[in-house]
C-alpha cells in the first residue's frame, strides 16, 4: 500500500516576511520589467538552466514565448501592470516559430494532433486573444478536430486540452461551433471513463505507456478540467456522471496521513506519494476540484485535507513557479478560501506569495535574469501574485485565457 511522504529535500521553510501588498505589486513590476528587458521579438526569450532540454527561443505555451506573451497581455488587461505593451508585432514570428517546432520530425505522432501547451493550437488561441482573425480560429478548429480520434491522453497533449480550447474560444467569440466540437469530445471522454475499485478512472496513453495518471496536467484531474469549465455545455446526465465520479475517485485514490491527504502522480501501490506540487499531488487536485460546481461532504472534507497537506509540506525547493513551485501550490489555498470563506486559507496563500517573491528574487540575482516561461517561470508567478492581491484565483490557461 502506498504511503504519503513529505520529502524535506523538496521543500523549504516559509519566508519570515509578513504580507505586504505594496511589496507584492513591486514584485509584479520587477518581473514584467525584467521580462520585457530580455525580450526579442524575432527570437523569443533565452531558456533557463532549470528548464532542461529547452532551447533558447522556445515558442510553446508551457515553457516558451506563447505563455510569456499571454502573461504580459493578461497582466496588462487586468491592470496588474501599466507599462505600455503592444504585443501584436510579436505574433507573426511566433506563429512561424511554433509551426517550425511542432513537426513530426521533432515530436513524432504528437505533432499530428492539437496540443494546448506545446503546439500551435495554444499559440493560435493567444493570437485570437490579442489580434483575432478568422485564420487563427480556423487553425484552432482544425487542431481540435484532429483530436477526435486521438488515443486518450491528457490536458497537455490531448483531447482535454482541445476541449478547453473550445471553452475559451466559445467565451471569446460566442460562436456555436465551439460548443458542438466540445460536446463531441466530452461524450467520448466520458464514454472512456472506467469503473474501478478506486472509483471511475481513465487510462492515459502517454509517452509510450498506459497508466492511470491522477494530476491536473497529465491525469484524471486534467481530464475533468474541461468538463468542469464547460459545465454549461454538458447534458444533465453528463453532469450527474461527473458529480458522482469525482467524490468517489478522490476518496478512493486519496492517501491519508497525520498531515492530511494527498494523491500519487499515478495509481501504483508500490510508489510513495512523495510529490506535493501542482502537477502531481495534493495542491493540483485541490486547485482543480475546489472549483467543482457541486458540493458533497466527502469532497469538501478531502479538499480541506489536501490543503492541510500542502501547507504542512511547505513551499517548494524547485522555485517560485506554477507547475512545480511555490506559486502553483499557493493556488490551492486561494481556491479553498473562495470555496470555504475561511480566512486561514487566504493567509496561507499570502505566506506562500511572500516566500515565492523571495525565491524569485534570489534566483534572478544568482543568474542575472529571470526565468521567462508561464508555467515554470516568473511571468506565471506574477499572475499568482496578482490573484493574491485581488483574492480572485484564476489559474493561467485553465481558468482564464
Amino acid at each position: 500500500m502506498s504511503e504519503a511522504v513529505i520529502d524535506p529535500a523538496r521543500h523549504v521553510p516559509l519566508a519570515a516576511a509578513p504580507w505586504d501588498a505594496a511589496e507584492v505589486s513591486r514584485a509584479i513590476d520587477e518581473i514584467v520589467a525584467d521580462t520585457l528587458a530580455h525580450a526579442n521579438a524575432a527570437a523569443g526569450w533565452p531558456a533557463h538552466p532549470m528548464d532542461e532540454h529547452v532551447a533558447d527561443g522556445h515558442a510553446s505555451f508551457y515553457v516558451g514565448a506563447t505563455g510569456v506573451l499571454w502573461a504580459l497581455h493578461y497582466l496588462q488587461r487586468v491592470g496588474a501592470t501599466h507599462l505600455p505593451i503592444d504585443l501584436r508585432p510579436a505574433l507573426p514570428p511566433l506563429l512561424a516559430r511554433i509551426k517550425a517546432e511542432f513537426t513530426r520530425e521533432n515530436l513524432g505522432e504528437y505533432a499530428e494532433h492539437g496540443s494546448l501547451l506545446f503546439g500551435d493550437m495554444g499559440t493560435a488561441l493567444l493570437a485570437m486573444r490579442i489580434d483575432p482573425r478568422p485564420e487563427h480560429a480556423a487553425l484552432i478548429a482544425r487542431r481540435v478536430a484532429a483530436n477526435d480520434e486521438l488515443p486518450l491522453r491528457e490536458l497537455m497533449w490531448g483531447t482535454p486540452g482541445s476541449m478547453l480550447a473550445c471553452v475559451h474560444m466559445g467565451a471569446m467569440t460566442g460562436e456555436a461551433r465551439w460548443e458542438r466540437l466540445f460536446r463531441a469530445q466530452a461524450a467520448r471522454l466520458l464514454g472512456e471513463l472506467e469503473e474501478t475499485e478506486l472509483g471511475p478512472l481513465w487510462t492515459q496513453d502517454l509517452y509510450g505507456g498506459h497508466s492511470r495518471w491522477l494530476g491536473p496536467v497529465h491525469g484524471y484531474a486534467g481530464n475533468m478540467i474541461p468538463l468542469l469549465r464547460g459545465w454549461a455545455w454538458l447534458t444533465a446526465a453528463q453532469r450527474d456522471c461527473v458529480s458522482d465520479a469525482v467524490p468517489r475517485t478522490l476518496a478512493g485514490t486519496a492517501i491519508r496521513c497525520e498531515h492530511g491527504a494527498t494523491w500519487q502522480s499515478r495509481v501504483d501501490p508500490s510508489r510513495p506519494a512523495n510529490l506535493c506540487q501542482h502537477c502531481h499531488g495534493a495542491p493540483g487536485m485541490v486547485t482543480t476540484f475546489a472549483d467543482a460546481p457541486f458540493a458533497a461532504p466527502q469532497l469538501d472534507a478531502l479538499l480541506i485535507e489536501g490543503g492541510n497537506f500542502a501547507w504542512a509540506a511547505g513551499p517548494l525547493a524547485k522555485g517560485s513557479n506554477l507547475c512545480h513551485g511555490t506559486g502553483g501550490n499557493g493556488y490551492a489555498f486561494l481556491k479553498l478560501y473562495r470555496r470555504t470563506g475561511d480566512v486561514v486559507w487566504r493567509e496561507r496563500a499570502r505566506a506562500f506569495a511572500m516566500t515565492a517573491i523571495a525565491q524569485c528574487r534570489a534566483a534572478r540575482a544568482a543568474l542575472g535574469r529571470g526565468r521567462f516561461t508561464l508555467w515554470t517561470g516568473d511571468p506565471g508567478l506574477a499572475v499568482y501574485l496578482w490573484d493574491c492581491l485581488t483574492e480572485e484565483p484564476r489559474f493561467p490557461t485553465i481558468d482564464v485565457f
Side-chain angles (χ1 to χ4, degrees):
M1 183 69 177
S2 182
E3 61 177 343
V5 176
I6 294 177
D7 183 352
R10 295 181 180 273
H11 298 274
V12 297
L14 284 164
W19 172 253
D20 184 335
E23 190 66 13
V24 173
S25 293
R26 279 192 290 274
I28 294 172
D29 288 341
E30 290 169 8
I31 290 170
V32 171
D34 185 47
T35 303
L36 291 174
H38 291 87
N40 184 314
W45 278 268
H48 193 275
M50 291 186 71
D51 289 316
E52 298 178 2
H53 312 300
V54 175
D56 289 347
H58 202 279
S60 76
F61 215 110
Y62 183 71
V63 286
T66 297
V68 177
L69 290 172
W70 179 89
L72 291 172
H73 183 264
Y74 179 74
L75 291 167
Q76 182 185 52
R77 178 158 54 104
V78 298
T81 180
H82 299 290
L83 291 174
I85 309 169
D86 182 5
L87 301 177
R88 287 171 297 179
L91 292 176
L94 177 62
L95 285 162
R97 288 206 312 278
I98 195 70
K99 289 181 186 300
E101 283 181 12
F102 199 65
T103 64
R104 193 173 184 89
E105 180 179 82
N106 292 333
L107 295 166
E109 63 169 321
Y110 283 65
E112 303 299 322
H113 303 276
S115 169
L116 178 64
L117 297 184
F118 273 97
D120 53 8
M121 182 168 67
T123 305
L125 270 171
L126 169 72
M128 280 297 296
R129 172 58 73 188
I130 296 176
D131 187 21
R133 295 170 183 252
E135 58 266 32
H136 302 327
L139 172 57
I140 296 165
R142 288 197 305 273
R143 287 303 195 183
V144 170
N147 283 359
D148 281 347
E149 304 301 324
L150 181 68
L152 191 59
R153 288 181 177 152
E154 34 67 280
L155 186 76
M156 180 176 280
W157 293 104
T159 304
S162 62
M163 291 169 62
L164 190 57
C166 288
V167 172
H168 292 317
M169 284 297 289
M172 282 192 277
T173 69
E175 294 176 354
R177 61 170 163 166
W178 304 110
E179 181 177 349
R180 290 195 298 270
L181 289 165
F182 173 94
R183 283 179 176 273
Q185 295 188 353
R188 178 169 170 248
L189 185 64
L190 286 170
E192 297 193 24
L193 189 60
E194 309 164 79
E195 189 66 49
T196 78
E197 68 281 4
L198 301 176
L201 287 166
W202 284 283
T203 300
Q204 279 78 18
D205 179 336
L206 185 66
Y207 304 144
H210 295 80
S211 296
R212 288 172 173 166
W213 295 82
L214 292 174
V217 177
H218 293 311
Y220 178 87
N223 285 12
M224 282 293 180
I225 282 171
L227 298 171
L228 299 177
R229 298 294 303 156
W231 193 253
W233 290 348
L234 299 181
T235 66
Q238 289 172 331
R239 293 180 189 177
D240 289 344
C241 175
V242 173
S243 57
D244 169 72
V246 168
R248 290 198 291 126
T249 302
L250 263 62
T253 55
I255 300 171
R256 290 181 166 92
C257 67
E258 68 273 21
H259 303 297
T262 191
W263 289 263
Q264 295 174 289
S265 56
R266 57 186 173 183
V267 176
D268 184 347
S270 68
R271 297 167 63 93
N274 64 340
L275 295 179
C276 184
Q277 52 201 46
H278 176 75
C279 51
H280 302 298
M285 301 297 275
V286 173
T287 295
T288 298
F289 293 109
D291 278 344
F294 52 85
Q298 186 180 41
L299 172 62
D300 287 280
L302 276 169
L303 294 175
I304 290 171
E305 288 184 63
N308 285 333
F309 188 91
W311 176 252
L316 281 156
K318 286 185 177 180
S320 59
N321 67 85
L322 297 182
C323 191
H324 35 259
T326 301
N329 282 22
Y331 264 109
F333 307 139
L334 277 182
K335 292 289 185 85
L336 282 172
Y337 174 53
R338 182 166 66 185
R339 188 172 182 93
T340 68
D342 188 339
V343 295
V344 70
W345 299 114
R346 181 187 65 190
E347 299 314 305
R348 289 178 174 183
R350 288 175 168 182
F352 268 45
M354 299 308 294
T355 301
I357 289 170
Q359 289 179 295
C360 179
R361 286 173 171 166
R364 187 191 307 132
L367 187 63
R369 61 171 174 83
R371 189 175 182 180
F372 307 119
T373 71
L374 174 62
W375 278 74
T376 69
D378 302 349
L381 171 62
V383 177
Y384 171 67
L385 296 178
W386 175 254
D387 287 356
C388 284
L389 288 172
T390 63
E391 301 180 6
E392 185 58 41
R394 297 184 178 95
F395 198 96
T397 316
I398 305 304
D399 301 326
V400 64
F401 201 94

